[in-house]
């Protein structure tokens, strides 16, 4: 009987020790996964930052190629600078960075809807630049937490809220880029109009 009790106690202790060991292993594995989760998120943030840097670089190169300064240099210098800009553009495009966003069906639908609303305005830019700018500003106002300077597109706001957080940030960045490009275009048009006016005044003065 004593021998049976010893055997029974040994089995209990064995089961108890095995259970404790499994709990320790589970705890260590969970801790490792928690640490890896932090690294994964940091990795995604770094990739997202690189993705944004690529967009910024391409925009800056494009702006230089279309700047007023490029129009006021000799043709030979302009050709040489364009070759350099195109080379930089090509090298930038060789870097492929893509951070995929996990979306459910509703978020996917919201993203497509928001993209369509922006594209519709972009496609009509040449028809009415000022109207397109005002509409884009109302879309941007719907994406920012700051108090907007103008009206907010309530419909677009409800659509954007349905998008994934990462998509919301990308939509806001796209609108910022579009508005910057529009502002640069308006400056170019204003400058050209000023130059034409100056030329006309100069011609009139010579005629007098």
């Amino acid at each position: 009987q004593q021998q049976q009790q010893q055997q029974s106690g040994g089995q209990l202790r064995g089961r108890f020790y095995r259970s404790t060991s499994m709990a320790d292993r589970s705890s260590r594995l969970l801790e490792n996964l928690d640490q890896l989760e932090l690294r994964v998120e940091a990795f995604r943030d770094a990739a997202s930052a690189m993705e944004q840097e690529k967009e910024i670089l391409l925009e800056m190169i494009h702006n230089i190629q279309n700047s007023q300064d490029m129009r006021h240099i000799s043709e030979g210098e302009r050709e040489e600078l364009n070759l350099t800009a195109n080379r930089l553009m090509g090298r930038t495009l060789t870097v492929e960075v893509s951070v995929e966003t996990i979306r459910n069906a509703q978020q996917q639908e919201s993203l497509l809807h928001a993209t369509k609303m922006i594209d519709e305005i972009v496609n009509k830019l040449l028809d009415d630049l000022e109207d397109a700018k005002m509409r884009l500003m109302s879309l941007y106002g719907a994406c920012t937490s700051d108090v907007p300077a103008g009206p907010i597109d309530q419909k677009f706001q409800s659509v954007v809220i349905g998008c994934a957080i990462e998509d919301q940030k990308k939509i806001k960045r796209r609108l910022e880029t579009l508005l910057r490009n529009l502002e640069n275009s308006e400056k170019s048009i204003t400058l050209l109009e000023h130059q034409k006016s100056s030329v006309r005044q100069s011609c009139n003065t010579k005629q007098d």
Side-chain angles (χ1 to χ4, degrees), residues 32-127:
N32 289 337
L33 287 174
D34 287 340
Q35 293 174 354
L36 285 170
E37 183 175 12
L38 294 176
R39 292 183 62 178
V40 167
E41 291 308 312
F43 171 65
R44 284 178 60 86
D45 288 343
S48 180
M50 291 180 64
E51 192 176 40
Q52 293 179 45
E53 178 66 6
K54 179 180 179 179
E55 294 173 2
I56 292 171
L57 288 171
L58 292 173
E59 183 184 354
M60 291 176 68
I61 296 170
H62 176 77
N63 288 340
I64 288 175
Q65 287 182 303
N66 293 276
S67 66
Q68 285 296 321
D69 289 337
M70 287 289 279
R71 296 186 177 95
H72 291 86
I73 58 178
S74 68
E75 186 176 347
E77 291 174 324
R78 182 164 55 250
E79 184 178 352
E80 183 177 350
L81 290 173
N82 271 322
L83 286 173
T84 301
N86 288 333
R87 178 175 59 81
L88 293 175
M89 184 85 74
R91 286 180 61 79
T92 305
L93 290 171
T94 60
V95 180
E96 290 292 337
V97 185
S98 178
V99 181
E100 296 296 330
T101 301
I102 300 174
R103 311 177 184 92
N104 57 34
Q106 181 184 350
Q107 290 171 334
Q108 179 69 26
E109 184 179 351
S110 295
L111 175 61
L112 293 173
H113 193 180
T115 302
K116 182 179 178 181
M117 292 177 73
I118 298 174
D119 288 343
E120 286 176 352
I121 299 176
V122 172
N123 291 334
K124 296 179 180 178
L125 274 175
L126 296 178
D127 297 335

Side-chain angles (χ1 to χ4, degrees), residues 98-205:
S98 178
V99 181
E100 296 296 330
T101 301
I102 300 174
R103 311 177 184 92
N104 57 34
Q106 181 184 350
Q107 290 171 334
Q108 179 69 26
E109 184 179 351
S110 295
L111 175 61
L112 293 173
H113 193 180
T115 302
K116 182 179 178 181
M117 292 177 73
I118 298 174
D119 288 343
E120 286 176 352
I121 299 176
V122 172
N123 291 334
K124 296 179 180 178
L125 274 175
L126 296 178
D127 297 335
D128 191 337
L129 187 64
E130 188 60 31
D131 179 66
K133 181 181 177 182
M134 293 299 296
R135 292 178 64 189
L136 286 173
M137 288 179 66
S138 71
L139 298 190
Y140 179 73
C143 297
T144 179
S145 57
D146 298 332
V147 178
I152 295 176
D153 191 316
Q154 300 290 343
K155 181 179 179 181
F156 184 75
Q157 187 176 56
S158 64
V159 172
V160 172
I161 290 174
C163 296
I165 298 297
E166 291 179 357
D167 287 329
Q168 292 179 21
K169 294 177 181 178
K170 289 182 179 180
I171 289 170
K172 183 180 179 181
R173 286 206 314 271
R174 185 188 177 191
L175 290 169
E176 287 173 342
T177 301
L178 286 168
L179 287 170
R180 275 199 309 271
N181 289 339
L182 276 178
E183 185 177 351
N184 291 333
S185 298
E186 286 184 329
K187 287 180 180 179
S188 298
I189 293 171
T190 302
L191 184 57
L192 285 172
E193 289 299 324
H194 175 72
Q195 290 171 346
K196 290 178 181 178
S197 177
S198 298
V199 170
R200 285 195 297 268
Q201 290 177 3
S202 176
C203 290
N204 292 334
T205 301

